[in-house]
Amino acid sequence: MQLKSKACGAYGTNCYIVSIDGKEIIIDPGMDATEWVLHNVHNPIAILNTHGHFDHVWSNADLVEALHIPLYAPIDDCFMLESDPFVQGTPSSHADVAVVGDQNFDINGIQVSFMHFPGHTPGCSAILIENALFSGDFIFKNSIGRYDFPYSSSDQMRQSLEKFLQIEADWEIFPGHGERTTLKTEQKNVPYWFSFL
């Protein structure tokens, strides 16, 4: 697996391009991601959204139109793609595949697992490809996603963190903002956050 990333837009949202066997998957194309993505893909097969916040989905529409590939997004966040609830002027996009909970996909021979971790948003998910977990705004290096936004839930965040602690693996984590980390490292940090929930 080869990986390219770029922090895009005013919020520095990480857009990722995962390349396996000459096929590419685009994860979270946010604000100002279109030109960079188009310059760096040769055989794209899908766009994946970890959740529906505008800074992660802004370039969905442009890339679907340009590349004619399917868009996957968590079903509980699809309304954010379509209706711009935060009134940011986000271009409307529509998921070709609405992901329900924890769901596995074979996308042109590439195994992709969505893992549902609600709290930051109702549909907030992490996406596992091989041993890389693209955690969106659920888990960051030394931090967790905010749960004080509209449609967020501290109760769901607590449940998601408890679920996160049960994972027995040591995947590398590629978050929606900031630097990469590892699952074992962040499992050690999680108990600290329970006192705030």
Side-chain angles (χ1 to χ4, degrees):
M1 182 177 80
Q2 295 178 312
L3 185 64
K4 294 181 179 179
S5 66
K6 180 177 174 60
C8 297
Y11 295 91
T13 305
N14 291 328
C15 177
Y16 295 100
I17 299 173
V18 180
S19 179
I20 299 175
D21 297 331
K23 294 170 284 191
E24 295 141 345
I25 290 176
I26 302 155
I27 300 175
D28 283 357
M31 305 169 85
D32 302 323
T34 300
E35 183 177 349
W36 176 77
V37 169
L38 293 178
H39 182 72
N40 282 280
V41 296
H42 306 285
N43 185 26
I45 58 173
I47 300 166
L48 314 180
N49 291 155
T50 59
H51 65 293
H53 278 162
F54 63 90
D55 61 312
H56 292 253
V57 307
W58 191 281
S59 296
N60 280 352
D62 283 348
L63 290 172
V64 167
E65 181 179 1
L67 300 173
H68 307 289
I69 55 177
L71 171 63
Y72 293 67
I75 190 169
D76 293 328
D77 282 9
C78 283
F79 75 96
M80 297 187 193
L81 279 61
E82 298 166 3
S83 64
D84 191 25
F86 296 95
V87 197
Q88 296 291 320
T90 313
S92 178
S93 58
H94 178 79
D96 299 287
V97 179
V99 181
V100 180
D102 295 336
Q103 196 168 357
N104 301 322
F105 298 94
D106 182 321
I107 305 177
N108 290 26
I110 298 176
Q111 305 305 311
V112 173
S113 297
F114 276 76
M115 305 176 72
H116 189 209
F117 292 112
H120 181 66
T121 66
C124 190
S125 298
I127 298 169
L128 180 67
I129 302 176
E130 294 189 350
N131 290 315
L133 188 69
F134 299 90
S135 62
D137 286 2
F138 169 53
I139 289 285
F140 304 109
K141 183 177 182 178
N142 299 322
S143 190
I144 63 173
R146 289 179 60 173
Y147 45 85
D148 58 342
F149 291 139
Y151 315 109
S152 297
S153 166
S154 59
D155 289 341
Q156 287 187 327
M157 180 61 82
R158 171 176 284 275
Q159 293 169 13
S160 291
L161 291 172
E162 290 171 349
K163 175 181 174 180
F164 178 77
L165 288 175
Q166 300 307 308
I167 299 172
E168 296 183 1
D170 194 14
W171 302 320
E172 194 161 14
I173 291 179
F174 296 89
H177 305 267
E179 301 175 6
R180 67 182 66 180
T181 181
T182 67
L183 188 140
K184 290 299 185 188
T185 297
E186 298 316 318
Q187 284 180 328
K188 294 176 183 177
N189 292 331
V190 160
Y192 169 80
W193 300 106
F194 283 134
S195 61
F196 297 95
L197 292 165

